[in-house]
Amino acid sequence: MEQISITLVPTAHETLILPSAIVAHIYPYAPPLLIDQASEFVIGGLLIGTDKLPLLDLFTTEAESQEEDRNSFRVVLVSAVTSQSPFMQYAILAHGQPQIANIGENDLTSLGKGSHRYISRYVSFNGYDSDKHIILPNLPALEAELTMS
């Protein structure tokens, strides 16, 4: 059974599973740049080198995001998985330290379809205990709609 390296990214209410191969870097939290308009869940922009990239706070309302202490937050830089996105990379706000794990195909158990277009499926996997739902995100859908100005 082949293992795959994953990165578990805690959001306010859920935990995302991302293939570690698309996680380019994890940075300490820094306040995002203000933006005029953006797609759903984009809370601002980040300058990485000379690129201005969108920062997403997935599945969090604006009121919730303003109330939280951000000392433990991280910024996860993700490489796009499709060419549908206008951005080659974007960032996801982690509400805590991301974790790396190795899982096999038999370690995942499907718990049902997602309740949002950016959620492919809810899952659980052996050896991971959390009070948060674990999500396989629909990255192609997210990236196709990603905008920021």
Side-chain angles (χ1 to χ4, degrees):
M1 175 171 46
E2 191 172 322
Q3 298 271 308
I4 183 172
S5 177
I6 60 166
T7 301
L8 298 160
V9 179
T11 66
H13 304 288
E14 289 93 13
T15 298
L16 303 176
I17 292 181
L18 299 175
S20 293
I22 68 167
V23 175
H25 199 83
I26 298 173
Y27 295 100
Y29 174 76
L33 303 170
L34 296 177
I35 54 175
D36 293 327
Q37 294 182 325
S39 54
E40 188 176 15
F41 302 120
V42 175
I43 60 169
L46 293 175
L47 278 178
I48 306 289
T50 58
D51 297 323
K52 186 174 179 183
L53 305 175
L55 175 63
L56 294 90
D57 192 359
L58 293 171
F59 314 114
T60 304
T61 65
E62 189 174 330
E64 288 173 323
S65 67
Q66 291 177 355
E67 295 175 4
E68 293 185 84
D69 174 21
R70 297 182 176 226
N71 288 331
S72 65
F73 285 14
R74 301 291 182 268
V75 174
V76 180
L77 187 61
V78 177
S79 297
V81 297
T82 71
S83 59
Q84 300 297 315
S85 175
F87 302 97
M88 292 180 61
Q89 294 182 315
Y90 52 94
I92 297 174
L93 186 63
H95 291 240
Q97 182 66 41
Q99 299 174 19
I100 296 174
N102 290 318
I103 62 170
E105 63 181 302
N106 295 332
D107 294 331
L108 283 180
T109 303
S110 176
L111 300 177
K113 291 193 91 89
S115 58
H116 188 280
R117 68 188 178 281
Y118 297 160
I119 302 173
S120 290
R121 184 159 297 287
Y122 292 101
V123 297
S124 67
F125 73 89
N126 301 336
Y128 184 75
D129 246 354
S130 175
D131 57 345
K132 294 182 175 186
H133 291 110
I134 302 171
I135 294 174
L136 284 175
N138 184 347
L139 295 178
L142 171 81
E143 292 171 6
E145 297 179 13
L146 196 56
T147 61
M148 179 183 74
S149 60

